[in-house]
Amino acid sequence: MGFGRMPATGKKRFVLRMFISLKYVTANVVDRGRGRVVATASSVEKDLKANLECGRFCNAKAAAAVGEVLALRLKVDGLAGEEIHADLAKEMEKKGFKNITKVRAIVHALRSHGVNLIFDPNAAAAAAAAAAARASVPSHATPKSDEADD
């Protein structure tokens, strides 16, 4: 085994990775068995950038366009039917709250174009628990219905 390289296992061979900044959105599918990127799409690409209205900042529309281009490239390469694993909780945590819509836009575009995305069930449970915890925090801005009757 090489330095820092994972053994080639059939489990989670292809993994979706996203790189999101204020200006650019990039999505890659990595073959962990070979240690290389098999498909990529980015808002930096000349053809894609010309059709986007990013200005100084990229938005969810740009992220969705990147997801569509990546899905088409995966179809051309014959990888759309392969299991591509995505750890959404990790990606959303890594990207921060402001970029969650961009992560969701990429994932939605990939799934709507027939890419076989597999979500990590442990990560999904953790994300659901975090969302439930945020929802259970009382909001001080809205009055409760019991208090409105008094």
Side-chain angles (χ1 to χ4, degrees):
M1 258 191 312
F3 180 75
R5 179 157 274 149
M6 296 178 61
T9 61
K11 193 175 181 182
K12 291 188 180 184
R13 179 175 175 190
F14 297 105
V15 180
L16 174 67
R17 295 286 181 237
M18 294 176 248
F19 304 95
I20 299 173
S21 70
L22 287 175
K23 293 176 97 174
Y24 306 112
V25 176
T26 301
N28 298 326
V29 173
V30 178
D31 181 352
R32 291 174 44 165
R34 294 185 179 154
R36 67 181 187 98
V37 175
V38 293
T40 187
S42 178
S43 61
V44 177
E45 297 173 21
K46 188 174 184 180
D47 295 335
L48 188 56
K49 191 175 187 178
N51 295 325
L52 297 176
E53 297 179 13
C54 282
R56 290 179 53 201
F57 303 104
C58 275
N59 56 15
K61 286 184 183 180
V66 167
E68 289 176 19
V69 170
L70 182 61
L72 294 175
R73 289 179 181 166
L74 287 168
K75 283 183 181 180
V76 168
D77 292 342
L79 296 173
E82 294 287 331
E83 290 184 351
I84 298 173
H85 295 268
D87 187 347
L88 290 185
K90 177 182 174 184
E91 294 292 337
M92 288 183 185
E93 180 182 316
K94 186 169 72 172
K95 305 309 177 249
F97 181 74
K98 292 182 180 180
N99 291 321
I100 287 177
T101 56
K102 295 176 189 175
V103 171
R104 288 182 180 159
I106 292 171
V107 168
H108 179 71
L110 287 168
R111 292 199 86 178
S112 65
H113 283 81
V115 174
N116 186 15
L117 282 179
I118 306 296
F119 301 113
D120 184 8
N122 295 334
R134 283 193 303 267
S136 68
V137 174
S139 175
H140 299 289
T142 58
K144 293 182 181 178
S145 60
D146 295 349
E147 295 173 5
D149 294 338
D150 290 335

